[in-house]
Each structure stands twice: as structure tokens, then as C-alpha cells.
Amino acid sequence: MGELRTILAIETSCDETAAAVVVDGHHTIANVVASQVEIHRRYGGVVPEVASRQHILSIDTVINEALAQTPGGWASIDAVAATYGPGLSGALLTGLNTAKALAWARGLPFIGVNHVEAHMYGAWLSGEDAPQFPCVALIVSGGHTLLVLLRGHGDAIRLGGTLDDAAGEAFDKVARLLELGFPGGPAIQRLALAPAQQERLPRAWLHGTYDFSFSGLKTAVLHADQQAQQTLADQPDALHQRRREIAYLFQESVVDILTRKAKQAVLDTGAVSLILAGGVAANTRLREVLRRRISVPIHVPPFALCTDNAAMIAACAYWRPQIAGWDLAVDPNLSFV
Ligand code: KG4
Ligand code: ZN
């Protein structure tokens, strides 16, 4: 690519304050993430105001640590990148303004990055062969559920997306309902327990589209839980066990829908590879079923780079260097397809 080989990137779109240095769009030199998960856990979800303040407190330390891990420090950095959307506006502001100020002070180019697009670039950091185009990408995070056809860097076509909740959001809401913990995805994966009898929760197929809907499934979980609460009112252990079974059935439904739609998209488009990205890509059941169903090579970021991080922002900035002006503003609803 160009001469902007070593990129320092900053990510603050939600509840992780992150900075990373990546060389040539695939070699991670430093990847520092200050997670706020313990702070938000007591509220059962991310509180935007709290997230913004925490970013301000953490950002200097996180950037300094990333630079300390980079041989040559600032002298080796060719450009500074930051997420400018989508995400929480107050949270985005901290990372974007810090990155702009640093780039300006150091006389370096500044690159604005779309967070959802960047999730795909975690797949370029796996240490394995790069994904080949055309490629279908299934991006499943706490804020987004999207199927896209990627024909080249910066050349994406939207195939479909969620009509209501994002997949990760559904995991989080269901985990809260079943009192299994926060964040919901990892809690459900850890506690999911197959019921002894054959059972299943509904799947919204939305035939003929690549769209998703998880609201009916959420309602089915609610009803199953209400029934469990009635029948097991005075047996807390048995109720918890039943809730783990409901979590299993929920996960099976989500995985079934995501993998079948992704398979259909690969078949219909003639894609030669598939990228699975976003926080929900950390789900081992999803990875397993996808690998069983799909015949083209599947590229998944390393586990640590599925959830929010700045290495994926740096990789995206390298492969798709959109040099921005100093007036670039945050865009909470930014889309890339
Ligand atoms: O990509 P991400 O860190 O943030 C957004 O950009 O939204 O994704 C966070 C989401 C959360 O909803 C979390 O519950 C989900 O990813 N997640 C998982 C797993 N690990 C994280 N969902 C299912 N299984 C997992 N193992
Ligand atoms: Zn994300």
C-alpha cells in the first residue's frame, strides 16, 4: 500500500478505551485496551455519561502504554487514526479529538475510521492468509448485525441487517432477563446447558432477504422464563438450571439463523471467502457451526480482537486510508454501506 506503514490508532466508541500500533495493516506491535466492563456491570449495561468520563481518565495512559511498547516510539509513527462513528457521541469525542490533536502537534496525517467497517479488519490481524475478494462479511456486535459483500477495500455492498436488535444486544438483553450476568454474550456461552428433551425456540427466517430479526425470539425467551418462574418459584437451583437451558436454546436459534443466512449469502454471491467479525464472533458455538456449514475459507479475528479494540482501527486505516481534515466531526450514526 502507501507509505503510511506504521499507524497509531485510537478507539473510544463505546466502553473500551483503546490504543494500538499496527505495521503494514497486519502486524500488531501494541494493542492496549482499558475495559470499563467492571464499572458498567453494576448498572447491567453501558451508561453513556459514565463511559465518556472514563475515556477522559484513561486515554493518556492507554496511548502512552501503546507507544512505550513500540520500538522507536513516536519517531516510528507515520499516521494517527481514530474511530469517528458509529457509537456514543460523547465517547467518540474523546478519542477523535485526542487523535486529531496528536496528529496536528506531530505534523502527521490524520485518518478517520468507521468502527463497524473496522471490525472486519480484525481478520487481517489473525496471522493467517488475508481474506480473498469477493468476500462475504458477517459483522455481529453489540450495536450492529450486518451482512455485506466486500469486493475490495472500500468497495462494500450491503446485503442485509437486523430489523430490530443487534445480535450482541439480544445476547445482553436475554442474559439480563435470565439473570445470568453482564456482558451477556460470554455469560450465555459459559452457562448454556442443553436440555434433556428435544426443544427449540423460534427462528425468524425473513425468507428471500438477508435481514435478521431477534424480537420474536426475545419474546419467546420471556415466555419460557415466565413459565419457569411459575413452576419453579420455590426452587432457586432448579430455576437457575432451567434458565441455563433457555440460554442454550436461545444461542442455538441465533447461531442457526446467522450461519444459514451467511451460507446463503456466500452461495448467492459466489464469494470466495467469509469474514466473521464483531464481539459475537468470539462465540465458539457460532464459529463451530459456521465452519461446519460453510465450504469457503473462514477468517475470524483472534479472540481478543473480536470485541472492541484499536488494532482493528489501525488495520482499517492502513487498507483504506481516508485522510481527513481537522474539521472531521463525530457521527454517531455513521454507516459504510
Ligand atoms: O464489538 P463489540 O465489542 O462492541 C460493539 O461494537 O458493539 O461487541 C460487544 C458485544 C456484546 O453484546 C457482547 O455480549 C457480545 O459482543 N459478545 C458475545 C461474546 N463475547 C462478546 N456474544 C456471544 N458470545 C460471546 N462469546
Ligand atoms: Zn464494536
Side-chain angles (χ1 to χ4, degrees), residues 115 119 141-143 168-169 171-172 183-186 189 278-280 282-283 306-308:
H115 177 88
H119 264 298
S141 73
E169 192 180 359
F171 268 96
D172 293 337
Q189 176 178 314
V280 182
N283 189 278
C306 285
T307 46
D308 290 348

Side-chain angles (χ1 to χ4, degrees), residues 307-324:
T307 46
D308 290 348
N309 64 86
M312 68 186 197
I313 306 299
C316 185
Y318 175 84
W319 293 107
R320 208 161 112 64
Q322 300 185 91
I323 307 292

